[in-house]
Amino acid sequence: MLNLVLFGPPGAGKGTQSQKLIEKHGLIHLSTGDLLRSEISQGTELGLEAKKLMDHGALVPDAVVIGMISHKLDANKDAKGFIFDGFPRTVAQAEALDQLLASKNAPISGMVALEVNDDELEQRLLLRGKESGRPDDANPEVIRKRIKEYNDKTAPVAGFYKAQNKFKSINGIGSINEIFDAISGVIASY
Ligand code: B4P
């Protein structure tokens, strides 16, 4: 079973690369950002609470996203594997994910981190904001808050996987296909 964590700051290309990886490997894509946006568009209570935090660039509470992931793992028992995109985003989420996967005897194969500098991230997200109307991509101040949240709370998750010898970092700047080839090279080494 291939269980891949795609890691990187907001706008690093996790969602973009996930789409190509699920086509090639037939994996289930678990994006906590997409799951939260789906709750928002359905107007659920969870979505209404999450929207307040997301619109300001803050992370949603761990218990909420861990519950969503647990539910999706249970709903896809026969999957060939999973791509975790935007999850785990805190060390508490990483610990919870290890526990969930241990009970299924299907540990994380590895984490691939996409390295992109802050200026490039801001440009990509502002462009997506213009094209998609995503509220958290529209305002430079909110984008900077998301990058700060990443540096404060998410970056330490890399250490969690380094300690398990499961961490690989690649350059996230270049064409989408070049980056995909680099990720594919890492997967081939598992
Ligand atoms: P997410 O939906 O995970 O969004 P993201 O980090 O902004 O995007 P991603 O890195 O996937 O960007 P993409 O590939 O699309 O999170 C949104 C919010 O949800 C968070 O701020 C938080 O509030 C909440 N949340 C989600 N998960 C959570 C969790 N686990 N815990 C707590 N809160 C959580 O790429 C961005 C843009 O770059 C695209 O327009 C793309 O076209 C472009 N791009 C991609 N690759 C490129 C390349 N090689 N060159 C040029 N442009 C490129």
Side-chain angles (χ1 to χ4, degrees), residues 13-79:
K14 305 182 293 286
T16 305
Q17 296 297 331
S18 291
Q19 288 311 321
K20 293 179 72 69
L21 288 163
I22 53 175
E23 276 168 34
K24 181 169 173 186
H25 297 282
L27 305 170
I28 303 281
H29 180 208
L30 293 185
S31 158
T32 38
D34 287 351
L35 292 171
L36 290 165
R37 281 185 288 278
S38 160
E39 295 282 342
I40 292 171
S41 67
Q42 291 170 53
T44 65
E45 200 176 317
L46 189 160
L48 292 174
E49 284 306 308
K51 181 170 169 44
K52 287 184 212 156
L53 294 159
M54 290 166 75
D55 282 356
H56 290 95
L59 292 183
V60 172
D62 288 337
V64 172
V65 286
I66 292 166
M68 289 191 321
I69 289 286
S70 172
H71 185 72
K72 286 285 170 188
L73 290 174
D74 285 345
N76 290 282
K77 284 197 164 61
D78 298 326

Side-chain angles (χ1 to χ4, degrees), residues 96-119:
L97 180 60
D98 264 9
Q99 275 178 20
L100 286 172
L101 292 176
S103 67
K104 295 174 199 314
N105 227 352
I108 289 296
S109 313
M111 164 184 267
V112 180
L114 302 173
E115 305 285 348
V116 178
N117 63 59
D118 290 359
D119 286 347

